[in-house]
Amino acid sequence: MRRRKIAVAAGCCLSFLLGTLLNVLFIPGFDPHQQQPRRGVTPAFAGSPLYWPAEDRESQRLELARQIRERYEEVVRYQKHQAPAAAARRLVRPLERRLMDLAQQRTSSEQTLRLEKGKAPQAESRGGSYPEAKVDLALNPPLLGCRDIHNVTSLHYLGSGYTKAVYKVVLNRTLAVALKSVDFGGHDIENCVKQYAALEDCYRLASYKIVKEMILLQRLQHANILQLYGYCYQDSNDIPDTLTAITELGSPLEMIQLLQTSWEDRFRICLSLVRLLHYLAHSPLGSVTLLDFRPRQFVIVDGELKVTDLDDASIEESSCTSNRDCFIEFPARNFTLPCSVEGRCRNMNEKRNLYNAYRFFFTYLLPHSAPSSLRPLLDMIVNATGELHWGIDETVAQLEKVLHLYKSGTYLQNATWMPKAEYQQIPEAAIPDENYRCWPSYHHKGCLLSVFDVGEAIKVCENHSQCKAFVLTNQTTWTGRQLVFFKMGSNHIVPDPDKITYVKVTG
């Protein structure tokens, strides 16, 4: 029994190490040519394709070829859509200039990958016509490629899903980016190889999902969609043209941590999301739905929410002959949408996105610890989206209204409130110590909150029993509100040209 346990443990460790090794070996740019060629994954179980009769193996080969062809044709459909004219005319941003400086001079063959006509290598030996591995993405500069990821530093594995593995690297010791490649230990490759025993073709099937995502990242130009910086096709061991996508790097969206942040930051996440969904509902490709809509599909870049995974996005609108065909099912709710005279379920993509935004984001992030005068409007937004009474146009308009009320200070208007105490203003002064903690706070060891003006700071101080003073800083939040330290005393005041201190003198 003990030997059996040791054998099982050793087998588990060996499987884990093999999956990790395959992922590292098959990322282009990481010294692939020095690795020994691998001759594919050979299933060792009796029911594997290697033990099937010849006619069954041929049937399975044709089925895999059909799936590859269908996925390739899906890529081509998305590729044929033109990018928005506004995106083509946009000005070069500072980061893009930085990418231009970083990217080395390339030949025209390196700038654009060409979609060659004819059969792929070995197509005739397979007995069928396979789509080409390389797809012409026609990316506008700046474009990063294989040369840029040959000598990366600070390689870190970030995570993986069914299809892709994601790594963080630093290029030229200055620019941190994300690299996405097919995960050889992932669900898609593992199941495909078990069924078809054809590693190269299984890789090609999975890689088209990355190509689709790259095309969408290029075609859909929006502030809340991750930027595509470039890509690299490169032979790796016995698989030609393995693909690595180079994208903007973001921080994973951690909902538990997000719940501990200020309402202002949580509202920003929700506002970013509805702006994204509004764009997707009216995109140049038509209405785009995110079929795999979960928090893990998003990242945070400089406080803004951005969608990072688009390989499961779709522009297909469901056809219908009656309302009964327009049924949307969620774990807790089901909805029936109207069938239009054109035979399409009206706004199904938009409504699917909106309800997912409600159940994954709005419910948890919008109402809690919001300013009391804004809660009725926020509750109305949550309830309306939860019942799908509103579309995305009305939802984004209402959230923009909340932003205006918050930034302008209109939500603070209350003619009856008067401060209970007087406060002495001390210019160019600060209180370095005498902190107390409050929640939520921008500082983990003190009470640092945002306010619209001094009047709101006084109101906050009077609502905190510990507060005896507060210090206005010269720092602001994304809405332009001023950050203020609230203090439990004023025994030690020091000069500081960038701050103003207010000390409670009565009350």
Side-chain angles (χ1 to χ4, degrees):
M1 179 61 71
R2 183 176 180 183
R3 290 181 179 178
R4 182 179 299 176
K5 289 182 178 180
I6 293 174
V8 170
C12 292
C13 292
L14 181 60
S15 299
F16 175 79
L17 291 174
L18 179 60
T20 303
L21 180 61
L22 289 177
N23 278 331
V24 173
L25 295 186
F26 280 83
I27 299 179
F30 294 97
D31 203 17
H33 301 292
Q34 294 184 14
Q35 308 299 336
Q36 294 299 320
R38 189 172 43 82
R39 299 302 175 190
V41 177
T42 303
F45 49 91
S48 76
L50 296 182
Y51 294 91
W52 291 349
E55 60 272 17
D56 289 344
R57 291 201 300 271
E58 176 64 11
S59 174
Q60 289 294 307
R61 187 193 68 78
L62 293 176
E63 170 61 21
L64 180 56
R66 182 192 63 81
Q67 293 182 34
I68 293 174
R69 170 65 62 181
E70 287 183 353
R71 191 162 289 176
Y72 171 78
E73 290 173 350
E74 180 189 24
V75 165
V76 172
R77 286 199 305 272
Y78 282 95
Q79 187 185 29
K80 286 181 179 179
H81 289 277
Q82 295 299 316
R89 294 192 301 265
R90 63 194 170 93
L91 297 176
V92 176
R93 294 188 289 266
L95 177 58
E96 292 175 336
R97 293 189 181 279
R98 189 176 174 194
L99 286 168
M100 287 179 179
D101 294 337
L102 179 64
Q104 302 180 33
Q105 294 294 325
R106 296 173 176 81
T107 64
S108 59
S109 62
E110 289 176 304
Q111 289 283 358
T112 304
L113 296 176
R114 293 177 173 81
L115 180 60
E116 300 174 357
K117 295 181 180 180
K119 295 181 180 180
Q122 302 177 356
E124 294 184 4
S125 64
R126 294 188 185 112
S129 176
Y130 275 52
E132 284 290 337
K134 292 183 179 181
V135 177
D136 177 11
L137 297 181
L139 294 182
N140 294 324
L143 173 64
L144 299 182
C146 298
R147 290 184 180 179
D148 301 291
I149 62 174
H150 274 165
N151 298 305
V152 301
T153 56
S154 303
L155 171 68
H156 295 288
Y157 170 76
L158 296 180
S160 58
Y162 272 31
T163 307
K164 302 186 295 288
V166 184
Y167 300 82
K168 172 187 175 182
V169 299
V170 177
L171 306 183
N172 201 32
R173 301 188 183 276
T174 58
L175 180 66
V177 300
L179 300 184
K180 294 184 178 183
S181 60
V182 171
D183 183 4
F184 280 85
H187 177 276
D188 283 355
I189 288 287
E190 183 178 304
N191 283 5
C192 180
V193 171
K194 283 182 179 179
Q195 184 170 359
Y196 301 110
L199 178 61
E200 182 177 341
D201 289 342
C202 287
Y203 174 85
R204 197 63 57 214
L205 181 67
S207 70
Y208 281 138
K209 295 187 73 173
I210 298 182
V211 175
K212 173 189 172 182
E213 179 173 278
M214 291 167 61
I215 290 173
L216 288 174
L217 290 176
Q218 171 68 3
R219 296 293 184 258
L220 300 176
Q221 301 285 329
H222 190 264
N224 298 110
I225 296 177
L226 210 68
Q227 292 186 59
L228 175 65
Y229 291 159
Y231 56 91
C232 172
Y233 275 116
Q234 185 167 310
D235 294 348
S236 184
N237 294 317
D238 53 349
I239 297 183
D241 299 323
T242 57
L243 172 63
T244 298
I246 310 169
T247 71
E248 183 179 16
L249 179 68
S251 301
L253 184 68
E254 301 289 350
M255 290 299 291
I256 295 179
Q257 295 180 7
L258 198 56
L259 290 170
Q260 301 174 28
T261 62
S262 67
W263 175 83
E264 187 175 344
D265 287 346
R266 286 184 276 119
F267 173 72
R268 186 181 188 182
I269 297 298
C270 294
L271 183 63
S272 299
L273 180 58
V274 296
R275 286 172 173 172
L276 167 67
L277 298 187
H278 181 266
Y279 173 79
L280 293 180
H282 305 284
S283 84
L285 305 180
S287 181
V288 180
T289 188
L290 304 177
L291 296 177
D292 189 11
F293 195 119
R294 292 175 294 167
R296 65 177 295 176
Q297 310 301 326
F298 300 87
V299 295
I300 297 178
V301 180
D302 297 329
E304 287 279 333
L305 186 76
K306 295 196 177 192
V307 63
T308 179
D309 284 348
L310 290 174
D311 54 347
D312 289 314
S314 174
I315 59 174
E316 304 298 328
E317 293 277 10
S318 299
S319 58
C320 59
T321 57
S322 69
N323 291 351
R324 287 178 299 180
D325 298 326
C326 301
F327 185 73
I328 310 181
E329 186 175 5
F330 295 99
R333 287 292 306 273
N334 300 322
F335 299 94
T336 301
L337 300 180
C339 179
S340 69
V341 294
E342 295 83 8
R344 297 288 179 181
C345 296
R346 189 175 299 162
N347 301 327
M348 177 171 278
N349 287 348
E350 172 186 330
K351 292 297 182 72
R352 182 184 286 112
N353 286 343
L354 193 55
Y355 188 79
N356 279 324
Y358 157 79
R359 70 190 186 105
F360 285 117
F361 290 89
F362 297 167
T363 302
Y364 305 105
L365 304 182
L366 267 184
H368 308 298
S369 71
S372 57
S373 59
L374 293 177
R375 285 175 193 164
L377 179 54
L378 293 170
D379 288 338
M380 182 174 68
I381 293 171
V382 172
N383 293 334
T385 53
E387 297 295 329
L388 289 185
H389 293 326
W390 291 350
I392 189 59
D393 292 349
E394 181 64 21
T395 304
V396 73
Q398 293 296 330
L399 278 173
E400 294 287 359
K401 179 181 177 181
V402 173
L403 176 63
H404 170 72
L405 294 174
Y406 190 66
K407 288 182 67 174
S408 65
T410 307
Y411 76 101
L412 289 171
Q413 292 180 0
N414 187 345
T416 61
W417 181 81
M418 292 293 293
K420 299 176 183 178
E422 293 183 2
Y423 290 79
Q424 177 187 359
Q425 183 191 84
I426 308 175
E428 298 185 354
I431 303 173
D433 302 313
E434 302 184 78
N435 293 307
Y436 66 90
R437 293 182 179 179
C438 64
W439 184 89
S441 172
Y442 287 94
H443 195 282
H444 68 283
K445 291 185 178 180
C447 186
L448 180 63
L449 304 175
S450 73
V451 299
F452 175 73
D453 56 15
V454 174
E456 186 178 11
I458 291 174
K459 190 172 183 179
V460 170
C461 187
E462 294 194 350
N463 287 333
H464 292 181
S465 59
Q466 311 99 308
C467 183
K468 304 300 180 185
F470 58 87
V471 179
L472 269 64
T473 73
N474 61 350
Q475 297 175 296
T476 58
T477 65
W478 67 278
T479 60
R481 290 164 59 89
Q482 201 164 7
L483 288 176
V484 177
F485 270 110
F486 293 89
K487 303 289 184 173
M488 60 190 301
S490 56
N491 295 321
H492 183 48
I493 299 178
V494 299
D496 192 323
D498 297 324
K499 296 181 176 62
I500 303 174
T501 294
Y502 288 80
V503 177
K504 187 186 294 188
V505 294
T506 63

